[in-house]
């Protein structure tokens, strides 16, 4: 039952807004919801039709946009006006894709200024974000048509290896399509959710290790996940961004063509024949998933394929995916026997040879009961339902891949939110000024595991200004980090005595690739010893400098109370400390700190006692 609330401001009835789950795929996309009555995740489809919307966009001569099955017809006959696989270009610069452009039939341009790719159609240019937004708009309007209610909120899935820029691009595409993207989640995470993996109650602290094998139309991904207490961690990803069911179709076309004496050159000229053969090949492939012999005709060509022939044709391709699985396990530091469950995703996993090969490799019965075309969207719908607050039993969390912190004295990294912290997450800590009357404080935000900020990655910087004049150490500046459910970090600084405040939203412009994150982590381990030494030295220096400052202040205030001898000795101990600070020897610094403290303690105590005595005298009992 949907909850109904009254909007007090307008007096109108407000129905709980529906949140849909969207699988924005390279080949196919679809939208799913938790069915309001059955409470089951359900892919949305019109009566008697498929839930799948091919991720294909056709622009007719008048630049009208056609999306889906209808657009797919133009793939061969009007290739320069038909865009497919736009997902491959998301968040990419021309440099990232230019060696792959020969594989796409439409025109990709390099518009130097932004250095992000655009696709040219006649005299118009479209960014991959716009192109994806056309697909999302189609999904949104389908959902609205079926549900008879506006759909404005969504959870969208992306491959686990998508970096921040690609995730942000996906989010932007959603926005452009009129969708408030509440969360971007990983496709393998969604697929696991659809199988109920990781959905056990929060208390389940035993880690589950899962392999998600996703063979789609044009891409293959294998992800190794670890799930602990509702937290999904991607241990490794591997795959081939140019290997999928389309390649199965291709080898069938080649097989038929060579049997009929048709050369590949003939096919590249005769587009209608190429299209006809490709469609028949895909039909044959699908048919052979449940039968042993395919027989058909294309004009006077007789098209025959046995299951055995088909399996021989695709065997090398399937073997390639297994090599990727081996590598993914290696990267995760796991053995085959460590994997508890294997999840099958993507239309191409319907091919029996694929299923058998994967099952043999992992030595396990694979999870394949959920429709492999729909499984990712269904998982996204489950996540959407959790976000809508309808499923309180589940705690679904993402984690931060790298630590987040600020720069403190001496260029040290002070971590506020550590690596692998759950998202959303909040942390705050108090800092103070180092100089008397300091009116502003520079706050530099970094990401990384190293002890010195210079070895980490700077995310943002801002100034907290207008701090009222106070002696050093007196202002209380509270720095707060907040990572919201989208992984967007907001850093705010507030001087607690005066209430002066400043904040900044940190949106990484260009995210880190998995390799970069890995390299940063690797670095931090490799340099841990050196880092500890550097940190100790820096801390000693900072402590020494602070002691020098406070001693100086004390002397200024109390010169009259000190003997000449005390003054001279203090001055020389300060000088010795000052000198030690310039050298790379933390023990020497500590020694000089100790010496100065030893020297000043007696007179500091004496002066303190006098001050107290004075204060007592003034008091009347
Ligand atoms: P993506 O995730 O890349 O968008 P999908 O998971 O939707 O792709 O997979 C699409 C691929 O699955 C296509 O190559 C399609 O031909 C293939 N496919 C769909 N149904 C079957 C089937 N019954 N047997 C074999 N392949 C299939
Ligand atoms: Mg997919």
């Amino acid at each position: 039952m949907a909850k109904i609330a009254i909007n007090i401001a307008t007096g109108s009835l407000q129905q709980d807004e529906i949140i849909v789950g969207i699988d924005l795929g390279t080949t196919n996309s679809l939208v799913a919801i938790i069915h309001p009555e059955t409470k089951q995740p359900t892919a949305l489809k019109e009566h008697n039709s498929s839930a799948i919307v091919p991720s294909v966009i056709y622009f007719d001569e008048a630049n009208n946009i056609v999306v889906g099955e209808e657009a797919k017809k133009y793939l061969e006959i009007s290739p320069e006006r038909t865009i497919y696989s736009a997902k491959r270009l998301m968040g990419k610069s021309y440099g990232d894709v230019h060696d792959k452009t020969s594989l796409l039939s439409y025109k990709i341009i390099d518009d130097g200024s932004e250095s992000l790719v655009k696709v040219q159609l006649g005299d118009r240019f479209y960014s991959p974000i716009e192109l994806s937004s056309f697909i999302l708009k189609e999904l949104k309007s389908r959902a609205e048509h079926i549900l008879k209610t506006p759909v404005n909120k969504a959870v969208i899935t992306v491959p686990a290896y998508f970096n921040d820029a690609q995730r942000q691009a996906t989010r932007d595409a959603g926005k452009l399509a009129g969708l408030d993207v509440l969360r971007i989640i990983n496709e393998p995470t969604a697929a696991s959710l659809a199988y109920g993996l990781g959905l056990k109650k929060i208390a389940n602290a035993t880690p589950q290790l899962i392999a998600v094998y996703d063979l789609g139309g044009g891409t293959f991904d294998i992800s190794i996940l670890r799930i602990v207490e509702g937290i999904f961690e991607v241990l490794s990803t591997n795959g081939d961004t140019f290997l999928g069911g389309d390649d199965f179709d291709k080898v069938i076309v080649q097989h038929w063509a060579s049997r009929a004496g048709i050369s590949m050159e003939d096919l590249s000229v005769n587009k209608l024949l190429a299209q006809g053969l490709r469609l028949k090949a895909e039909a044959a492939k699908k048919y052979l998933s449940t039968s042993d012999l395919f027989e058909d005709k294309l004009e006077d060509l007789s098209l025959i394929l046995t299951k055995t022939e088909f399996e021989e044709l695709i065997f090398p391709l399937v073997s390639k995916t297994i090599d990727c699985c081996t590598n993914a396990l290696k990267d995760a530091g796991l053995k085959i026997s460590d994997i508890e469950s294997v999840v099958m995703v993507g239309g191409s996993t319907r091919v029996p040879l694929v299923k058998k090969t994967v099952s043999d490799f992992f030595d396990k019965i694979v999870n394949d009961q959920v429709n492999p075309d729909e499984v990712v969207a269904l998982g996204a719908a489950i996540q959407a339902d959790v976000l809508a607050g309808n499923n309180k039993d589940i705690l679904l969390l993402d984690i931060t891949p790298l630590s987040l912190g600020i720069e403190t004295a001496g260029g040290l990294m002070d971590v506020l939110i550590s690596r692998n912290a759950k998202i959303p997450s909040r942390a705050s800590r108090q800092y103070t000024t180092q100089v008397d009357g300091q009116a502003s404080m520079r706050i530099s935000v970094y990401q990384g595991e190293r002890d010195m900020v210079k070895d980490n990655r700077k995310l943002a910087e801002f100034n907290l200004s207008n701090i009222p004049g106070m002696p050093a150490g007196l202002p209380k500046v509270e720095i707060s980090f907040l990572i919201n459910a989208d992984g967007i970090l907001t850093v705010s600084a507030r001087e607690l005595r005066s209430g002066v405040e400043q904040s900044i939203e940190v949106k990484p412009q260009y995210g880190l690739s998995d390799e970069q994150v890995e390299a940063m982590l690797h670095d931090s381990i490799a340099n841990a010893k050196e880092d500890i030494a550097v940190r100790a030295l820096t801390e000693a220096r900072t402590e020494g400098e602070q002691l020098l400052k406070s001693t100086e202040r004390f002397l200024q205030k109390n010169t009259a109370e000190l003997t000449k001898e005390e003054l001279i000795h203090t001055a020389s101990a300060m000088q010795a400390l000052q000198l030690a600070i310039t050298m790379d020897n933390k023990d020497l610094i500590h020694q000089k700190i100790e010496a100065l403290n030893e020297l000043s303690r007696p007179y500091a105590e004496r002066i303190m006692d006098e001050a107290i005595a004075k204060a007592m005298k003034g008091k009347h009992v």
Side-chain angles (χ1 to χ4, degrees):
M1 201 184 69
K3 276 177 251 157
I4 294 190
I6 297 170
N7 182 329
I8 300 183
T10 61
S12 65
L13 278 181
Q14 236 174 259
Q15 200 167 355
D16 253 14
E17 252 197 293
I18 191 136
I19 310 175
V20 297
I22 293 179
D23 172 7
L24 182 61
T26 311
T27 315
N28 295 313
S29 300
L30 66 159
V31 48
I33 58 157
I34 299 295
H35 195 285
E37 268 120 52
T38 65
K39 303 282 177 232
Q40 292 302 307
T42 315
L44 291 176
K45 57 184 128 203
E46 306 266 5
H47 193 59
N48 276 338
S49 77
S50 162
I52 288 171
V53 176
S55 308
V56 183
I57 310 148
Y58 169 67
F59 296 80
D60 72 10
E61 296 297 332
N63 273 322
N64 294 314
I65 295 163
V66 181
V67 174
E69 207 58 58
E70 193 59 27
K72 212 175 160 183
K73 294 179 189 154
Y74 295 94
L75 274 177
E76 269 94 3
I77 40 183
S78 192
E80 65 295 332
R81 305 195 65 81
T82 314
I83 312 295
Y84 60 95
S85 295
K87 184 174 176 178
R88 295 186 188 283
L89 305 175
M90 287 293 262
K92 294 274 174 108
S93 70
Y94 187 73
D96 293 333
V97 293
H98 91 117
D99 55 328
K100 308 249 161 58
T101 51
S102 60
L103 292 159
L104 302 170
S105 59
Y106 46 88
K107 210 164 166 185
I108 291 175
I109 61 136
D110 174 11
D111 90 334
S113 60
E114 290 168 274
S115 79
L116 286 176
V117 291
K118 286 204 174 170
V119 171
Q120 185 176 359
L121 271 138
D123 55 356
R124 294 215 191 179
F125 301 99
Y126 296 95
S127 70
I129 294 175
E130 286 170 282
L131 296 168
S132 295
S133 83
F134 296 143
I135 298 167
L136 291 171
K137 257 187 215 154
E138 171 72 21
L139 295 171
K140 173 173 146 70
S141 72
R142 270 189 176 220
E144 289 175 337
H145 188 247
I146 296 165
L147 297 170
K148 310 271 182 284
T149 171
V151 171
N152 299 311
K153 294 183 171 169
V155 168
I156 304 181
T157 59
V158 295
Y161 59 78
F162 257 30
N163 64 25
D164 282 357
Q166 292 169 299
R167 285 165 199 263
Q168 191 62 46
T170 305
R171 187 177 290 287
D172 291 345
K175 209 183 282 171
L176 212 54
L179 289 168
D180 185 4
V181 182
L182 299 184
R183 190 80 73 93
I184 296 282
I185 66 166
N186 290 328
E187 288 163 12
T189 300
S192 308
L193 284 176
Y195 275 100
L197 298 166
L199 283 185
K200 289 176 204 152
K201 291 237 172 131
I202 300 154
N204 182 20
T206 334
Q208 275 178 288
L209 293 165
I210 292 170
V212 182
Y213 180 101
D214 182 348
L215 189 60
T219 57
F220 168 62
D221 298 318
I222 171 80
S223 313
I224 309 292
L225 306 184
R226 178 166 57 198
I227 315 176
V228 197
E229 299 184 53
I231 303 166
F232 287 74
E233 187 185 0
V234 180
L235 296 183
S236 68
T237 62
N238 209 293
D240 188 331
T241 47
F242 285 90
L243 173 61
D246 299 349
D247 299 290
F248 294 1
D249 306 346
K250 239 174 262 168
V251 292
I252 298 174
V253 169
Q254 280 163 4
H255 172 76
W256 282 338
S258 83
R259 241 197 221 164
I262 303 166
S263 73
M264 285 300 121
E265 287 78 62
D266 292 344
L267 275 184
S268 68
V269 179
N270 190 343
K271 287 188 175 147
L272 270 177
L273 176 64
Q275 151 142 297
L277 279 176
R278 190 186 56 78
L279 291 175
K280 291 287 184 201
E282 188 175 3
K285 170 184 76 176
K286 290 184 180 174
Y287 187 73
L288 291 176
S289 287
T290 47
S291 312
D292 291 332
L293 175 68
F294 176 85
E295 264 181 307
D296 201 356
K297 268 192 152 53
L298 185 68
E299 282 154 33
D300 54 350
L301 279 178
S302 121
L303 307 173
I304 299 174
L305 191 67
T306 67
K307 188 173 178 178
T308 317
E309 284 170 333
F310 173 59
E311 292 185 340
E312 276 165 17
L313 288 172
I314 62 166
F315 181 74
L317 300 170
V318 180
S319 298
K320 258 196 197 175
T321 69
I322 297 299
D323 295 342
C324 296
C325 294
T326 307
N327 291 333
L329 281 174
K330 202 171 104 210
D331 288 350
L334 296 176
K335 305 183 294 296
I336 286 172
S337 57
D338 292 329
I339 300 296
E340 201 174 308
S341 319
V342 180
V343 171
M344 299 297 265
V345 183
S348 303
T349 59
R350 285 221 179 80
V351 175
L353 177 71
V354 171
K355 232 179 255 186
K356 182 176 184 310
T357 312
V358 176
S359 174
D360 286 351
F361 174 77
F362 284 103
D363 196 18
K364 246 172 221 70
I365 297 169
V366 297
N367 288 287
D368 63 353
Q369 315 87 293
V370 181
N371 182 335
D373 305 315
E374 296 180 353
V375 62
V376 168
L378 298 178
I382 294 173
Q383 167 78 62
D385 197 46
V386 173
L387 290 179
N390 296 334
N391 200 337
K392 296 249 163 41
D393 286 351
I394 305 170
L395 184 71
L396 269 186
L397 294 163
D398 281 326
I399 52 169
T400 55
L402 293 167
S403 301
L404 295 161
I406 64 162
E407 173 174 3
T408 55
L412 280 180
M413 170 90 173
D414 198 28
V415 171
L416 275 100
I417 294 181
S418 53
R419 169 177 141 71
N420 285 348
K422 295 165 189 177
I423 293 175
S425 187
R426 183 195 287 276
S428 54
R429 196 168 295 161
Q430 281 184 16
Y431 299 87
T432 189
T433 50
Q434 288 190 303
V435 184
D436 287 339
Q438 186 175 330
S440 77
M441 200 166 181
R442 185 147 205 77
I443 290 135
S444 307
V445 183
Y446 285 84
Q447 180 180 46
E449 305 312 307
R450 299 286 302 273
D451 269 358
M452 303 298 294
V453 292
K454 69 172 169 50
D455 300 317
N456 290 330
R457 178 169 181 262
K458 191 186 232 165
L459 293 178
E461 192 168 67
F462 67 103
N463 260 323
L464 177 67
S465 43
N466 299 324
I467 302 175
M470 279 182 256
L474 209 55
K476 281 189 184 166
V477 177
E478 187 174 75
I479 312 249
S480 306
F481 276 37
L482 171 70
I483 311 182
N484 69 8
D486 293 338
I488 306 283
L489 170 69
T490 305
V491 178
S492 56
R494 184 179 151 87
E495 202 288 300
L496 298 176
R497 292 178 197 279
S498 59
V500 189
E501 207 169 359
Q502 193 66 249
S503 73
I504 188 168
E505 191 172 277
V506 185
K507 260 195 208 155
Q509 270 286 307
Y510 282 93
L512 299 173
S513 65
D514 283 356
E515 290 81 56
Q516 282 170 302
V517 170
E518 208 171 284
M520 287 173 87
L521 291 177
H522 186 79
D523 250 24
S524 75
I525 296 162
N527 294 295
K529 250 195 194 141
E530 187 194 322
D531 273 7
I532 289 167
V534 174
R535 177 176 276 272
L537 180 62
T538 312
E539 276 169 358
R541 279 187 179 138
T542 308
E543 192 187 336
E545 269 157 10
Q546 266 159 5
L547 180 62
L548 283 174
K549 260 181 226 152
S550 62
T551 311
E552 206 165 317
R553 260 202 315 268
F554 186 86
L555 291 181
Q556 269 167 13
K557 249 166 96 184
N558 304 293
T559 323
E561 329 285 332
L562 296 182
T563 66
K564 196 173 167 196
E565 205 177 37
E566 281 168 340
L567 285 173
I568 292 170
H569 283 147
T570 308
S572 87
M574 285 173 75
Q575 208 170 38
L577 175 56
Q578 189 77 64
L579 198 69
I581 286 172
T582 62
M583 288 184 280
D584 290 340
N585 183 343
K586 77 166 188 343
D587 294 335
L588 185 68
I589 300 173
H590 281 305
Q591 205 183 315
K592 299 299 172 196
I593 288 174
E594 208 32 56
L596 179 54
N597 273 330
E598 278 301 304
L599 190 74
S600 60
R601 195 169 297 132
Y603 62 72
E605 276 170 10
R606 191 183 73 221
I607 291 169
M608 201 98 85
D609 287 348
E610 281 165 15
I612 292 168
K614 236 189 247 170
M616 296 296 280
K617 235 193 227 166
K619 277 209 175 124
H620 297 282
V621 188

